[in-house]
Amino acid sequence: MAARPPVPTLTKLTCVLLVYVKLTTQVTPPPCNPGDNLYAPVFINSEVQQTIPETLPIDASVATLSASDKDTLCNFGSLTYSITGDGSAASYFGIEKDTGIVSLKTSLTNTSIVDFTVRIEVQDGSSPPWSSTALLYLKITRNFERPVWSSARYATNIPETAPVLENILSVTATDRDAQPPNNEVTYELVGNAVQLYYFEIVSSTGDIRPRRPLTSDTNRRSQFDFVVIARDQGSPPLTAAINASVTISVFRNNNAPRFIQDPYSITVAQGLGSGTVISVRAVDDDPSTEFNQISYSIEGPANALTLFTIDGSGNIQPTNPAAINSASETNYKIYVRAEDNGIPKLYDIVLVELTINRNLNPPIFNPVTYEETILETRPFGDVALRVTASDADNLVCGCC
Ligand SMILES: [Ca+2]
Ligand SMILES: [Ca+2]
Ligand SMILES: [Ca+2]
Ligand SMILES: [Ca+2]
């Protein structure tokens, strides 16, 4: 610490006081002349629009309206902000006097006012002050209405082959609030883990669609039940008064085609044409056309595939009648398949036995009358008479 200075004499003290007075006179600012306040404050934006939710918390910032003043002398450039109107705006909003930050000071849930005009004044530091005014237009978003379902129940039937991620059903709820997000509805599908494994909802549209192939469901469930929650995007959000129910029925390829007769057999005469030899028919008990449409084909064996064809109605026809007619074969086995249009296809196979009757003609005596006179002494065993007959069949059938 510095040592204390010696006490000055009276003459020296007088001198020191004179010096002090002189210095003080030099740092005192000149008096402020109102004529030096050359500029008025100017807002950067004199009109500002802002949308805020009615649930905005107290003290939350709403907007900032800044102004500037080019004056540098005295306090002619220092600014003070205040709210001067309009209506009840000053009751709900306050402004930070040094910064122009507008914030909420009373909850907006206490009023139904939708639009506020906040009139803001800024003054400089002169007397009287120069000022400017700006307007802050505030729109209050309010969530008054709940979503309302167009229908409380939804149901649809789909095949198990319904394509993945393609819409099968749409649920719809509307919200009468005037402004988004209070009238924007989203949807949530609620179900158990298995149900939600196979189906999903597009939250923004309400479209419901399979997430996975329903054919992969080894339990082959035929019905899925859900509820859907409709929720708006207000703050806080509101949900529909009830949840909608959704039932999705899945019809499956549960039945294979079956032939109405088993086996089929027919005997036809040699000399086939190209027309139908025999018709077969199968039925499919599935109720839906997705799974009960039947197509026929020849399964085998090899000669049947070569010699016969079958049309969509189950009519079997020879592809080369001449080859069949000239052959010696009398019995043909034809295995016919009937399959449906499921995925995978289900089928039945039946045996068709086709017998060709190649012995079309009886022997005919020619001539049919014989007359012969023989001696009574004709030896035993001697030819007495020869009769002749012919057969128009032209094939020698070893097995006949
Ligand atoms: Ca000024
Ligand atoms: Ca709403
Ligand atoms: Ca079927
Ligand atoms: Ca014959």
Side-chain angles (χ1 to χ4, degrees), residues 359-376:
N359 188 16
L360 303 180
N361 299 285
I364 296 175
F365 281 106
N366 184 21
V368 297
T369 302
Y370 297 84
E371 186 174 335
E372 183 76 18
T373 302
I374 60 172
L375 295 174
E376 67 175 0

Side-chain angles (χ1 to χ4, degrees), residues 126-343:
S126 69
S127 180
W130 285 19
S131 64
S132 290
T133 299
L135 296 176
L136 170 61
Y137 299 104
L138 292 177
K139 182 173 287 297
I140 315 302
T141 59
R142 300 184 182 279
N143 193 17
F144 293 117
E145 302 285 346
R146 294 177 176 274
V148 176
W149 288 108
S150 301
S151 170
R153 296 176 182 274
Y154 298 85
T156 189
N157 299 313
I158 60 169
E160 63 179 352
T161 50
V164 172
L165 299 184
E166 284 197 10
N167 181 33
I168 59 168
L169 175 68
S170 293
V171 298
T172 306
T174 55
D175 189 305
R176 291 185 296 175
D177 280 314
Q179 298 168 5
N182 302 316
N183 59 6
E184 293 176 338
V185 181
T186 61
Y187 304 91
E188 179 186 355
L189 194 64
V190 179
N192 64 35
V194 170
Q195 293 163 334
L196 296 178
Y197 182 80
Y198 287 104
F199 291 94
E200 67 182 14
I201 195 168
V202 180
S203 64
S204 59
T205 64
D207 291 348
I208 297 175
R209 58 195 193 183
R211 299 177 64 200
R212 294 180 167 78
L214 298 171
T215 50
S216 66
D217 179 8
T218 55
N219 289 319
R220 301 184 66 74
R221 295 170 181 84
S222 61
Q223 185 168 319
F224 295 79
D225 296 298
F226 303 91
V227 297
V228 182
I229 299 172
R231 181 181 292 112
D232 68 23
Q233 299 302 290
S235 176
L238 298 176
T239 57
I242 59 171
N243 294 331
S245 69
V246 173
T247 299
I248 301 171
S249 299
V250 179
F251 54 90
R252 298 179 179 278
N253 189 18
N254 288 322
N255 298 282
R258 56 181 170 79
F259 283 98
I260 59 175
Q261 182 180 331
D262 188 8
Y264 287 85
S265 63
I266 192 171
T267 299
V268 297
Q270 178 180 271
L272 296 179
S274 59
T276 297
V277 177
I278 186 173
S279 296
V280 298
R281 191 166 81 88
V283 295
D284 189 310
D285 293 332
D286 285 310
S288 163
T289 55
E290 274 89 349
F291 302 128
N292 67 9
Q293 300 299 297
I294 296 174
S295 59
Y296 299 96
S297 62
I298 293 177
E299 183 81 0
N303 69 331
L305 288 166
T306 302
L307 296 174
F308 298 97
T309 184
I310 188 168
D311 66 16
S313 300
N315 301 315
I316 299 175
Q317 296 149 347
T319 53
N320 187 352
I324 297 173
N325 290 333
S326 63
S328 60
E329 184 68 50
T330 58
N331 188 271
Y332 294 91
K333 294 184 185 306
I334 306 168
Y335 289 93
V336 176
R337 170 192 285 250
E339 64 184 14
D340 65 19
N341 52 338
I343 301 173

Side-chain angles (χ1 to χ4, degrees), residues 339-388:
E339 64 184 14
D340 65 19
N341 52 338
I343 301 173
K345 298 176 185 297
L346 302 178
Y347 64 90
D348 189 18
I349 291 177
V350 74
L351 170 62
V352 178
E353 290 187 287
L354 175 62
T355 300
I356 308 292
N357 181 6
R358 302 187 185 280
N359 188 16
L360 303 180
N361 299 285
I364 296 175
F365 281 106
N366 184 21
V368 297
T369 302
Y370 297 84
E371 186 174 335
E372 183 76 18
T373 302
I374 60 172
L375 295 174
E376 67 175 0
T377 56
R378 193 78 172 255
F380 291 121
D382 201 2
V383 173
L385 177 66
R386 184 178 300 273
V387 298
T388 59

Side-chain angles (χ1 to χ4, degrees), residues 57-141:
I58 302 293
D59 294 331
S61 173
V62 172
T64 300
L65 283 85
S66 300
S68 63
D69 188 309
K70 295 180 185 176
D71 287 311
T72 57
L73 296 177
C74 300
N75 55 355
F76 298 151
S78 67
L79 302 178
T80 302
Y81 299 88
S82 63
I83 292 177
T84 61
D86 291 345
S88 60
S91 301
Y92 290 92
F93 302 96
I95 192 164
E96 201 169 89
K97 67 182 178 61
D98 297 326
T99 62
I101 297 174
V102 178
S103 58
L104 184 69
K105 65 179 188 180
T106 301
S107 173
L108 294 167
T109 58
N110 299 331
T111 176
S112 60
I113 297 173
V114 174
D115 295 292
F116 285 95
T117 299
V118 184
R119 190 173 298 270
I120 297 167
E121 184 179 77
V122 61
Q123 296 181 336
D124 64 15
S126 69
S127 180
W130 285 19
S131 64
S132 290
T133 299
L135 296 176
L136 170 61
Y137 299 104
L138 292 177
K139 182 173 287 297
I140 315 302
T141 59

